[in-house]
Amino acid sequence: MLGFRRWELLKGLAAVIGVVGTVSLVLIYFFPGPPSKVTMATGFKGSTFEYYGHRYREIFARFNIDLDLRATDGAAENVKLLQDEKSGVQIALMVGGISDGKHAPELLSLGSIYNYPFWLFYSSNQPFDRLSQFKGKRIAVGPLNSATQLSAEQILGTDGVNSENSVLLPFGGSAAVEALNDGEVDAVWMLGVPNAPANHSLLENPNVRLMSFPTAEAFTIIFPELVRLVLPRAVIDIPRNIPPVDVPLIGSTAKVLVRSDLHPEIVQLLLQTMVEVHGGRAIFQRSGEFPNSTDTEYPIAPAAIDFYRSGPSFMQRHLPLWLSVHVQRAIAVLVTAIAILPLFRFLPRIYNWITRRRLFYWYAKLKALEASFDADPMDTQLAEKRAEIEKIEEAVSHISIPLTFSDQVYNLRSHIDIVRRKIASRGNAPSVRIVAE
């Protein structure tokens, strides 16, 4: 008896482990944990994208997620890396005018993050107020195929400045700053926020001038993706009065793109990071203006739309990232249990039906055997019937039935005995010969 109980206990334990294991695998499949490392494409050294990439990485580290920063030549390369599954890049900082959702349908936008101006720094004793004055100059326009280069050629080209009448050099970021300081170039075209290292160093350089765009409003009409911005007087350095006057500029809007298969928890962490980094007051934005769900080029991810509409969820506000995944799994189990709980009341009925069906099978065999007596009044197959009743009894004696069905087993065996006696009485009866007269 002890061995039986031990065997039943082992079987029950194995069943529990099997159920728990199956449920765990299902939950891991439908609610996989976030990866411990993700890769984001930024930009070249000294660029605004590099600057913000480091800030993003610091915030991700607080949640034990390693944000690997991939240095690139700029936005055009960022899009290509995002589209290439083998690159490992899942997040990228982006500017407008490079690509769109039609050319990259697998990419989603998490919204716009800040306005950035186009900077045109130059070395000259005289101020320039027209782009045409840069004809014949050596201008650093950023790496080949970068957003910096594309925007430089587009804007400078409106006033006839191009590679045919000027020298356009592929320096960007820190390399462009060094080239201007060393006299290797006469001007530098740059993108990004004022506090990016390369931009900030030139804004504070007393030997460098900043080109203003008094016709900025006209540029926003010709190029709808552009915006008019103003660098306020003394906003860079009040004691030194940098800049000495308000400077009108033209610019555009940066955004964050992700692959559509990026883990949902990483998307939520990224959205919260964007709010922390870009949500405050800045030179070219009001507090709370960014990030937002405005993007005319790429579809906004559904998670981002919900985030901007309702903010982070309760779990995202109060639970660590790793714990929120386990809570979601637990909720899924609870909801599933509640959904199938009404079915459990039918389990005893189903169990009873399955158990009785095993007995009904032999009842049917026994009934068919008993009915065969009427079909064979001469008892020509009596030996076969004896063998059949023995076969039925042998099979029934080996049926494993719960104790609650013992009475039904005894009833079946009683009926088997009745049929056996009937067969025996037929075998002992004297033969009756019918003689025709």
Side-chain angles (χ1 to χ4, degrees):
M1 190 67 176
L2 182 61
F4 175 77
R5 289 180 179 176
R6 190 173 297 168
W7 173 244
E8 290 296 320
L9 180 61
L10 289 175
K11 288 198 298 182
L13 182 60
V16 170
I17 293 174
V19 171
V20 171
T22 302
V23 172
S24 298
L25 291 175
V26 170
L27 290 176
I28 291 174
Y29 178 79
F30 286 104
F31 297 95
S36 60
K37 180 180 180 179
V38 290
T39 302
M40 181 170 75
T42 55
F44 43 83
K45 185 178 180 181
S47 66
T48 298
F49 284 175
E50 184 199 41
Y51 166 75
Y52 280 126
H54 286 288
R55 294 196 60 186
Y56 280 35
R57 185 167 63 182
E58 292 172 0
I59 296 173
F60 270 58
R62 299 205 303 256
F63 295 87
N64 298 316
I65 302 294
D66 180 17
L67 183 61
D68 180 41
L69 304 180
R70 181 79 59 85
T72 69
D73 286 335
E77 184 180 356
N78 290 0
V79 171
K80 292 180 181 179
L81 289 173
L82 272 180
Q83 291 181 282
D84 182 6
E85 293 184 10
K86 298 180 181 179
S87 71
V89 173
Q90 299 164 288
I91 309 167
L93 298 174
M94 184 58 51
V95 297
I98 302 300
S99 184
D100 54 39
K102 292 182 180 179
H103 298 90
E106 66 274 29
L107 306 184
L108 296 173
S109 173
L110 297 189
S112 301
I113 50 177
Y114 60 84
N115 288 326
Y116 64 91
F118 299 156
W119 310 95
L120 185 50
F121 297 102
Y122 61 97
S123 296
S124 175
N125 294 327
Q126 300 296 324
F128 291 178
D129 58 4
R130 293 187 62 84
L131 292 174
S132 59
Q133 293 175 272
F134 289 91
K135 288 181 180 179
K137 302 294 185 181
R138 298 167 299 170
I139 310 171
V141 295
L144 187 65
N145 294 324
S146 66
T148 305
Q149 183 208 29
L150 296 176
S151 61
E153 293 181 349
Q154 182 185 51
I155 301 302
L156 293 173
T158 59
D159 211 357
V161 181
N162 53 51
S163 58
E164 296 179 359
N165 54 41
S166 305
V167 181
L168 306 183
L169 299 170
F171 300 139
S174 301
V177 173
E178 292 177 7
L180 185 62
N181 291 334
D182 295 341
E184 297 178 11
V185 298
D186 303 307
V188 171
W189 178 273
M190 306 186 78
L191 309 182
V193 294
N195 46 355
N199 299 336
H200 196 265
S201 67
L202 291 178
L203 285 168
E204 290 192 322
N205 191 334
N207 299 318
V208 174
R209 293 179 181 271
L210 174 62
M211 166 80 178
S212 69
F213 286 82
T215 58
E217 194 66 34
F219 276 99
T220 64
I221 295 174
I222 297 172
F223 303 106
E225 71 274 12
L226 301 183
V227 293
R228 181 182 184 274
L229 303 171
V230 175
L231 184 67
R233 175 182 175 179
V235 72
I236 303 301
D237 193 315
I238 292 178
R240 290 189 291 167
N241 196 34
I242 301 175
V245 295
D246 288 353
V247 182
L249 301 169
I250 56 174
S252 189
T253 304
K255 66 190 73 176
V256 174
L257 296 184
V258 299
R259 288 187 56 84
S260 58
D261 56 358
L262 182 62
H263 193 281
E265 292 299 324
I266 299 298
V267 171
Q268 293 297 327
L269 176 57
L270 190 55
L271 287 165
Q272 294 180 63
T273 300
M274 290 160 57
V275 171
E276 182 173 341
V277 174
H278 307 289
R281 182 73 167 91
I283 295 176
F284 300 113
Q285 69 188 54
R286 300 181 302 275
S287 179
E289 182 179 357
F290 291 100
N292 60 55
S293 59
T294 302
D295 193 330
T296 59
E297 295 178 319
Y298 293 90
I300 301 294
I305 295 175
D306 293 339
F307 182 87
Y308 291 126
R309 181 186 299 128
S310 307
S313 67
F314 175 83
M315 288 192 296
Q316 293 158 5
R317 289 195 303 268
H318 301 285
L319 296 179
L321 183 65
W322 65 269
L323 182 58
S324 65
V325 176
H326 294 291
V327 171
Q328 290 180 50
R329 292 174 179 172
I331 291 174
V333 172
L334 181 61
V335 171
T336 303
I338 293 174
I340 66 175
L341 192 59
L343 299 178
F344 281 98
R345 62 176 179 157
F346 295 104
L347 291 181
R349 298 181 184 179
I350 296 173
Y351 177 74
N352 291 342
W353 179 82
I354 293 174
T355 304
R356 289 183 177 184
R357 189 174 182 275
R358 298 168 63 190
L359 300 177
F360 290 162
Y361 172 81
W362 295 111
Y363 264 116
K365 287 282 188 180
L366 189 62
K367 184 177 180 180
L369 179 61
E370 191 174 11
S372 67
F373 286 110
D374 297 331
D376 184 22
M378 301 299 297
D379 297 326
T380 58
Q381 297 181 342
L382 198 59
E384 289 84 349
K385 294 172 183 175
R386 287 195 184 99
E388 180 69 16
I389 194 65
E390 296 301 328
K391 178 181 177 182
I392 292 174
E393 185 174 30
E394 176 70 14
V396 170
S397 66
H398 288 88
I399 295 177
S400 178
I401 294 294
L403 291 175
T404 53
F405 293 89
S406 297
D407 57 335
Q408 298 185 36
V409 176
Y410 288 129
N411 287 337
L412 175 58
R413 298 184 71 174
S414 297
H415 286 92
I416 292 173
D417 189 57
I418 291 173
V419 175
R420 179 190 288 107
R421 289 200 301 269
K422 195 171 184 179
I423 294 174
S425 65
R426 285 287 188 97
N428 297 328
S431 300
V432 178
R433 180 177 298 177
I434 302 175
V435 179
E437 294 183 357

